[in-house]
Amino acid sequence: MAESQQKKQLHLGAFMRPVSLHTGAWRYPGAYPDANFNFQHIKSFAQKLEAAKFDAFFMADHLAVLNMPIEALRRSQTVTSFEPFTLLSSLAAVTERIGLVATASTTYDQPYHIARRFASLDHLSAGRAGWNIVTTANPDAAHNFGQEEHKEHGERYARAREFYDVVTGLWDSFADDAFVRNVESGIFFNPERMHVLGHHGSELHVRGPLNIARPPQGWPVIVQAGQSEPGKQLAAETAEVVFCAPRNLEAGKELFKDIKGRLAAVGRQPDDIKLLPAAFIVIGDTVEEARAKRLKLDSLVHYESSVASLSISLGADVSQFDPDKPLPTELPETNASKSGREGVLKLAATEGLTVRQLAQRYGGYSGLAFVGTVETIADEMEQWLVQEGSDGFNVVFPFLPQGLDDVVERLVPELQRRGIFRKDYEGTTLREHLGLKRPNNKFFP
């Protein structure tokens, strides 16, 4: 391995809202059933992640209960979750270094609100805030915000691009040296170091200035998660971290090359953006033990809430098949995703799974998974890093607390031993953890 490759470092985020993306996580033996809505548990998780030197604690968000049949929804731990800013503000007081990333929608909020909240969180946390920009995929959210219909995909992304410009402009309302606080003269701030935005765009009209000093990081770190064509272009233009979901290393390398290849055209450098795929991690003393844990976890997903997910992936109604026999090799033709169907068929053949087991897998967690020993998982993560499939990972825990403890107590030390993950924080802000530059003020260079 070349010297330059040996020096590459993984960045690790923790996907913590919900605390696990696996539908069966809350039912696993020894797991906390209320982990997703218990502050004492979540505080403990954040402190453990910080002790392990994770870059960030990440919270997804939903503006409506998930749009699924009630038979599935009644089995979901996500039906009650904390609002991200409230929780992260509380966690800012009980942590010191770990980054705090919240999701906020550009479709169902206003830029002045978003700018204020993130600026406040960045000040409260001494420079640890990050904004995950989303346009909101769940159409049911529209009905919670006085709208009859969800905006079209293209419209949502056009608004998001303008929204980003407004929010970052508001964060730059004051120069870093605007607040002189001269007790003798009685001058609190220098008006010449304040900018009134005066934005009038196709979607948004915002005067400004923001009534909060410029954030410690200049701007909170910008995170983006879309993988559609508009999403990838928005990421290239605006994002500093991309949370993504390639299913394997080859797909990761393709996405890595695609997004980083767009940066030169918008005046950016490859290191200006970090790609962190979601990675579901299950650790065992042996590979067989880890796989058994995964099968046990998948078995806790009720069939009625998983068979629909499998049917969607295959583009065929699988409820007609015997759940305890292998998936038939001959299926009706479909206009659904060919790659999605091929992925299911390959998984079924490779692992010899029954229809029920496949449904449990797709109803539980069907994304990128590292299931094995500490050594085999570290090998895979290092391979992704060296071969430019990612800059690190956004870790999805299978169940809590044990799944999280396995990662921070067993996997992280192995990554540190290999020299590909930090043994201590080198800075205090999220930007410093990620190796990102502090942005210049647009109006006060």
Side-chain angles (χ1 to χ4, degrees), residues 45-105:
F45 301 152
Q47 291 171 337
K48 288 178 180 180
L49 291 164
E50 183 170 68
K53 315 307 176 187
F54 266 61
D55 292 68
F57 181 108
F58 166 65
M59 292 192 70
D61 194 25
H62 303 287
L63 299 177
V65 296
L66 296 179
N67 52 327
M68 59 175 63
I70 194 64
E71 291 80 10
L73 185 63
R74 67 178 181 166
R75 301 181 182 278
S76 172
Q77 66 174 331
T78 67
V79 76
T80 178
S81 299
F82 289 110
E83 188 280 319
F85 284 93
T86 311
L87 179 58
L88 293 184
S89 296
S90 298
L91 292 178
V94 295
T95 57
E96 295 181 353
R97 295 291 185 87
I98 194 168
L100 304 168
V101 181
T103 296
S105 174

Side-chain angles (χ1 to χ4, degrees), residues 196-426:
V196 177
L197 185 62
H199 176 87
H200 297 282
S202 58
E203 280 271 342
L204 303 165
H205 302 275
V206 181
R207 188 188 72 171
L210 192 67
N211 58 350
I212 295 179
R214 193 167 192 246
Q217 295 184 101
W219 304 348
V221 171
I222 304 296
V223 181
Q224 209 268 335
Q227 284 183 229
S228 65
E229 186 59 29
K232 289 188 289 188
Q233 189 58 32
L234 179 65
E237 294 176 7
T238 68
E240 296 168 298
V241 175
V242 176
F243 289 154
C244 47
R247 298 182 65 85
N248 53 52
L249 178 55
E250 290 306 310
K253 289 161 68 173
E254 183 178 342
L255 183 64
F256 189 97
K257 182 178 180 181
D258 183 348
I259 292 179
K260 297 217 176 192
R262 299 171 187 243
L263 298 182
V266 294
R268 304 181 70 193
Q269 300 297 318
D271 284 343
D272 290 345
I273 192 167
K274 310 296 181 186
L275 270 69
L276 304 183
F280 183 78
I281 296 179
V282 184
I283 297 171
D285 291 335
T286 64
V287 172
E288 292 73 21
E289 181 185 83
R291 288 176 177 168
K293 287 183 179 180
R294 174 70 189 265
L295 284 174
K296 172 63 177 177
L297 181 61
D298 290 342
S299 75
L300 298 174
V301 179
H302 198 279
Y303 191 66
E304 70 183 15
S305 66
S306 60
V307 68
S309 298
L310 179 59
S311 296
I312 291 169
S313 297
L314 283 168
D317 181 9
V318 300
S319 63
Q320 61 185 304
F321 303 136
D322 187 331
D324 296 311
K325 290 185 177 180
L327 186 72
T329 54
E330 298 294 327
L331 293 172
E333 284 299 314
T334 178
N335 289 323
S337 168
K338 302 294 185 184
S339 61
R341 171 179 280 204
E342 289 169 3
V344 176
L345 294 174
K346 183 177 180 180
L347 178 64
T350 301
E351 298 192 21
L353 302 178
T354 65
V355 170
R356 186 186 304 278
Q357 288 170 328
L358 277 170
Q360 288 165 345
R361 181 71 57 88
Y362 277 79
Y365 184 85
S366 59
L368 174 66
F370 297 144
V371 181
T373 66
V374 165
E375 291 76 18
T376 64
I377 293 171
D379 286 344
E380 290 187 272
M381 297 176 83
E382 187 168 11
Q383 185 180 27
W384 277 70
L385 180 68
V386 171
Q387 294 189 18
E388 296 189 336
S390 74
D391 294 297
F393 298 94
N394 201 25
V395 177
V396 180
F397 301 103
F399 37 80
L400 294 99
Q402 190 58 56
L404 185 149
D405 290 345
D406 286 344
V407 171
V408 302
E409 295 174 4
R410 301 176 65 184
L411 179 59
V412 166
E414 175 62 17
L415 298 174
Q416 292 169 334
R417 186 190 68 78
R418 296 178 183 217
I420 57 173
F421 189 64
R422 68 172 69 87
K423 293 184 177 179
D424 203 355
Y425 294 110
E426 295 181 3

